[in-house]
Amino acid sequence: MTEANPKIAISAKGLRKVYRGNNKAPAKEALKGVDLSIPTGSIFGLLGPNGAGKSTFINILAGLVTKTEGEVLVWGFNIDRNARQARASLGVVPQEINMDVFFTPKEALDIQAGLYGVPKSRRRTMEILKALRLDDKADAYVRQLSGGMKRRLLVAKAMVHSPPILILDEPTAGVDIELRKQLWDYVLELHARGVTIVLTTHYLEEAQELCDEIAIIHEGDVVACEPTEKLIASLDSKTLMVTPIEALDAAPDLGAFTAELKTDGRLSIPYQPSKAQVAEILERLSAAGVAVKDLSTVESDLEDVFLELTYRRAG
Ligand code: ADP
Ligand code: MG
């Protein structure tokens, strides 16, 4: 029934959510039968535009939203049959900052630990506050904390019961670069200690940089789920950037390849790595009388993958 250390941290099968409509809004199918497996030990990104269904998915895991259909296991625990254990296996940092402002960070963590039944002797309140650089604010009132500090406190609260899985829902939306870095330092530290990390974001760059596996969710459907590198490689498209020795007036004719002359004088030449070698392009350039001063290749990035997937769907 349960596993001490499952291979799959979170699994969803046929997960559907329909928000009931009312006189103001029609019913909304936010998740349309999502199948997803999040491997233990990964930093998993759930990527998608606003309204894709990311928070709905997270909130179902956290027990805050009731699913319409489907089966969900968290750390091997079924969220219907073993709700308490499932919930104890997760720490969730919600998208919205909603916190009781009348407590101090120390009190807030103690209350949270109490809710999860962590005995006093096993609480790590100051250690957690220190890790999130909130130790000097331990006894300040929450309402005196900056927005960034509040967000760090939410992460601290999510970790009081030392869950094996930490879920962050858009943790860096509206957060400045310095704080973002601090937050990731801590998250990566937890990951190094074995915590499985799930993060939702609509920042492609962030997902590409941090996540080793990514699911792209679009209008309630998972349209891709792969290791990050594979996802990007799957596009089979790269661009060769060439700086000619002598400035060109127009892009040269390269036969099977199409060059574009950029305003900075460089040539941009897209190609498919599975079909063409850079050497072939260089031969074509030489044949066209273009002497090369410098060259580099540009990989496609997640943005391209994302556009292609959503475009393919729409089209
Ligand atoms: P994301 O987190 O990816 O931005 P959400 O899960 O918040 O997406 O929302 C998915 C869809 O469900 C959106 O169309 C949103 O308007 C709708 N939705 C979210 N929460 C509710 C709710 N409580 N009642 C009705 N519709 C909702
Ligand atoms: Mg959201």
Side-chain angles (χ1 to χ4, degrees), residues 19-20 28 30 48-57 95 169-170:
Y19 287 107
R20 237 181 271 149
K28 171 81 196 176
N50 281 324
K54 305 182 297 294
S55 292
T56 299
F57 182 77
Q95 184 169 357
D169 193 1
E170 305 259 3

Side-chain angles (χ1 to χ4, degrees), residues 124-135:
R124 301 172 301 126
T125 306
M126 284 315 289
E127 182 196 319
I128 296 172
L129 287 175
K130 204 165 182 177
L132 286 152
R133 295 185 187 84
L134 287 168
D135 43 326

Side-chain angles (χ1 to χ4, degrees), residues 195-246:
V195 177
T196 300
I197 310 287
V198 180
L199 94 108
T200 81
T201 180
H202 62 267
Y203 293 124
L204 298 158
E205 254 185 50
E206 191 162 272
Q208 185 164 347
E209 209 172 295
L210 289 161
C211 301
D212 38 41
E213 197 157 331
I214 290 176
I216 297 182
I217 179 163
H218 179 60
E219 291 178 2
D221 274 318
V222 172
V223 294
C225 180
E226 273 180 298
T228 309
E229 276 172 28
K230 216 172 146 206
L231 194 63
I232 290 163
S234 71
L235 261 191
D236 192 27
S237 112
K238 280 191 184 183
T239 303
L240 183 69
M241 299 299 297
V242 174
T243 310
I245 289 178
E246 281 173 39

Side-chain angles (χ1 to χ4, degrees), residues 43 93-94 97 131-134 147-159 166-191 197 199-200 206 210:
I43 301 187
V93 182
I97 297 183
L132 286 152
R133 295 185 187 84
L134 287 168
M149 289 174 181
K150 283 186 190 141
R151 204 166 275 278
R152 272 180 282 162
L153 182 55
L154 283 177
V155 178
K157 276 178 76 178
M159 291 307 297
L166 177 65
I167 301 186
L168 302 118
D169 193 1
E170 305 259 3
T172 54
V175 167
D176 67 54
I177 294 178
E178 181 59 23
L179 176 65
R180 210 177 270 211
K181 203 188 156 311
Q182 285 176 16
L183 194 61
W184 290 134
D185 284 348
Y186 182 61
V187 168
L188 292 174
E189 198 184 303
L190 288 172
H191 179 248
I197 310 287
L199 94 108
T200 81
E206 191 162 272
L210 289 161

Side-chain angles (χ1 to χ4, degrees), residues 90-122:
L90 303 167
V92 179
V93 182
Q95 184 169 357
E96 307 295 335
I97 297 183
N98 51 347
M99 255 186 291
D100 204 324
V101 294
F102 298 105
F103 295 111
T104 67
K106 207 162 145 192
E107 288 165 347
L109 290 201
D110 264 331
I111 292 167
Q112 186 80 0
L115 285 177
Y116 278 97
V118 182
K120 285 227 160 72
S121 61
R122 288 186 43 212

